[in-house]
Amino acid sequence: MANREPRGLGKGLSALLGEAADIDRLRKPVGYVNKEIVGERKSETVSESADIVRIPADLISPNPFQPRMSFDNEALEELAASIRSLGLIQPITVRKTDDGKYQIISGERRYRACRIAGMDMIPAYIRSASKQGMLEMAIVENIQRENLDPIETALSYQRLIDECDLTQEQMALRVGKKRASITNSLRLLKLPDKVQHDLKVGLLSVGHAKVILGVEDPVLQQQLCDLVIREDLSVRQLEERLKTRSASGDKKENGDAQKLPDEYYKMLEHIGKYFGDRISLKRSASGKGSMTVKFNSDAEVRRFIEAMEKAGL
């Protein structure tokens, strides 16, 4: 497995991106409007749902079984600054407790950053762990709606993986999509928060995002997103800019990254069980390529090795 720094776009980068512009003035914080607000009415009861609801922050408590015991304060401040500017892109997931309050299942880091940002209402999914079948049906129904934005769709797929323990192949059968389509949708969640925001609010299309995903550097991804917005580029125009300005060795980077045989997605899915979305794979038209896996600890690698040994690999 390769373990190298991502390549840039070549010597023509500055000419491609042009002068920096104040694109942030076009960005408005993501707001989850027309959603029920838990706790507003005494008679209100909100059960498990695929929808996002807003919950008063003082009704939410951390999970006592949270494996992460310490949080990087500087990273939390950076996330809080992003939330102040863009809103919370990915809602947290909670469960309702017997006292009518809510306990975090996932997203404590996002919750803490929201509190630092001064948010008193937190966007969240509510889940009852004992009703997995109903949750699965609710999420699948949500995906099949036509009014979901690309990030909401990707988050729904991710919930089916995390909370319903479905593989991408099983999801493809449930929602009537090709597995490659689901994989490409999930890849959108690897984009920087600002790029995800622009997808949500329609400043950027999925076609643009697929081109931008061909570049691995998050800083360059953000700059390319700004370029599209600033110059109102079509997907084809963005591709042409990259081909024209990139160094010769990088010309095919954005196109080839999308053209993977089906079995490659299956391999990424299996390895992703152990390393999440910290795996990337590049393949040229000739079949040559590289795979990069990032890991957080020796224990994570040991678990992967043990799984391979049990499988006789």
Side-chain angles (χ1 to χ4, degrees):
M1 295 182 186
N3 188 12
R4 58 183 176 78
E5 291 297 318
R7 293 182 298 169
L9 286 175
K11 296 180 180 179
L13 176 60
S14 59
L16 166 68
L17 297 175
E19 295 297 323
D22 183 20
I23 302 298
D24 283 347
R25 63 186 172 78
L26 299 175
R27 296 188 171 104
K28 305 295 183 183
V30 171
Y32 295 99
V33 297
N34 299 325
K35 302 292 184 182
E36 293 181 87
I37 302 177
V38 175
E40 272 199 334
R41 298 181 294 276
K42 291 183 178 179
S43 60
E44 181 181 47
T45 57
V46 179
S47 59
E48 179 175 71
S49 169
D51 288 327
I52 300 165
V53 296
R54 293 189 293 152
I55 304 177
D58 56 8
L59 293 182
I60 301 173
S61 62
N63 189 332
F65 303 105
Q66 159 69 255
R68 179 185 290 180
M69 301 305 294
S70 61
F71 294 82
D72 184 283
N73 289 332
E74 184 176 350
L76 282 175
E77 290 289 352
E78 290 176 355
L79 180 56
S82 174
I83 290 171
R84 289 189 193 98
S85 173
L86 306 176
L88 183 63
I89 305 297
Q90 298 188 23
I92 67 173
T93 301
V94 300
R95 71 178 186 90
K96 194 168 185 178
T97 56
D98 293 338
D99 59 1
K101 295 185 178 182
Y102 298 85
Q103 190 176 81
I104 296 172
I105 294 176
S106 64
E108 183 168 340
R109 179 173 173 272
R110 278 167 280 156
Y111 169 75
R112 290 180 180 229
C114 286
R115 297 297 278 156
I116 293 173
M119 291 178 63
D120 55 1
M121 303 295 293
I122 313 294
Y125 297 108
I126 300 175
R127 180 189 176 188
S128 298
S130 61
K131 297 181 180 178
Q132 181 170 314
M134 291 180 64
L135 176 61
E136 180 184 323
M137 287 187 290
I139 295 175
V140 170
E141 181 182 0
N142 211 36
I143 292 172
Q144 292 172 340
R145 297 177 184 172
E146 295 183 356
N147 60 345
L148 290 183
D149 65 59
I151 295 302
E152 286 177 323
T153 299
L155 286 170
S156 295
Y157 288 145
Q158 192 62 55
R159 290 190 74 199
L160 287 172
I161 292 173
D162 295 341
E163 301 179 41
C164 298
D165 199 27
L166 292 186
T167 65
Q168 290 185 24
E169 191 167 357
Q170 290 170 329
M171 278 194 290
L173 292 173
R174 298 288 202 283
V175 301
K177 302 281 187 182
K178 291 183 179 179
R179 187 169 66 188
S181 174
I182 290 173
T183 301
N184 284 330
S185 180
L186 288 166
R187 292 180 72 233
L188 298 177
L189 300 180
K190 298 180 181 180
L191 291 166
D193 282 350
K194 281 190 176 182
V195 182
Q196 289 191 40
H197 168 276
D198 294 344
L199 270 168
K200 282 186 71 67
V201 299
L203 291 174
L204 195 73
S205 75
V206 173
H208 290 108
K210 287 181 179 179
V211 176
I212 291 171
L213 277 165
V215 179
E216 293 186 4
D217 187 333
V219 174
L220 295 184
Q221 289 177 336
Q222 176 61 58
Q223 291 173 328
L224 287 170
C225 176
D226 290 349
L227 175 70
V228 169
I229 298 170
R230 182 173 69 241
E231 300 191 15
D232 193 24
L233 297 180
S234 68
V235 175
R236 179 63 61 85
Q237 287 172 326
L238 177 60
E239 290 174 335
E240 289 301 319
R241 290 290 186 94
L242 287 172
K243 288 179 181 178
T244 301
R245 302 295 184 181
S246 297
S248 59
D250 291 327
K251 283 184 179 179
K252 290 187 178 182
E253 180 178 9
N254 105 81
D256 289 346
Q258 306 299 321
K259 300 175 183 177
L260 295 176
D262 214 33
E263 58 266 25
Y264 279 56
Y265 290 111
K266 190 170 184 179
M267 176 179 65
L268 290 171
E269 179 184 343
H270 287 313
I271 298 177
K273 291 179 181 178
Y274 303 95
F275 299 103
D277 61 2
R278 287 165 286 124
I279 174 173
S280 63
L281 190 150
K282 285 185 179 180
R283 174 187 177 276
S284 68
S286 65
K288 293 182 179 180
S290 64
M291 182 162 58
T292 303
V293 176
K294 297 180 181 180
F295 52 89
N296 289 327
S297 66
D298 291 338
E300 195 171 50
V301 176
R302 281 195 294 270
R303 284 194 297 271
F304 176 69
I305 294 172
E306 289 171 1
M308 294 298 98
E309 291 175 344
K310 287 181 182 179
L313 301 176

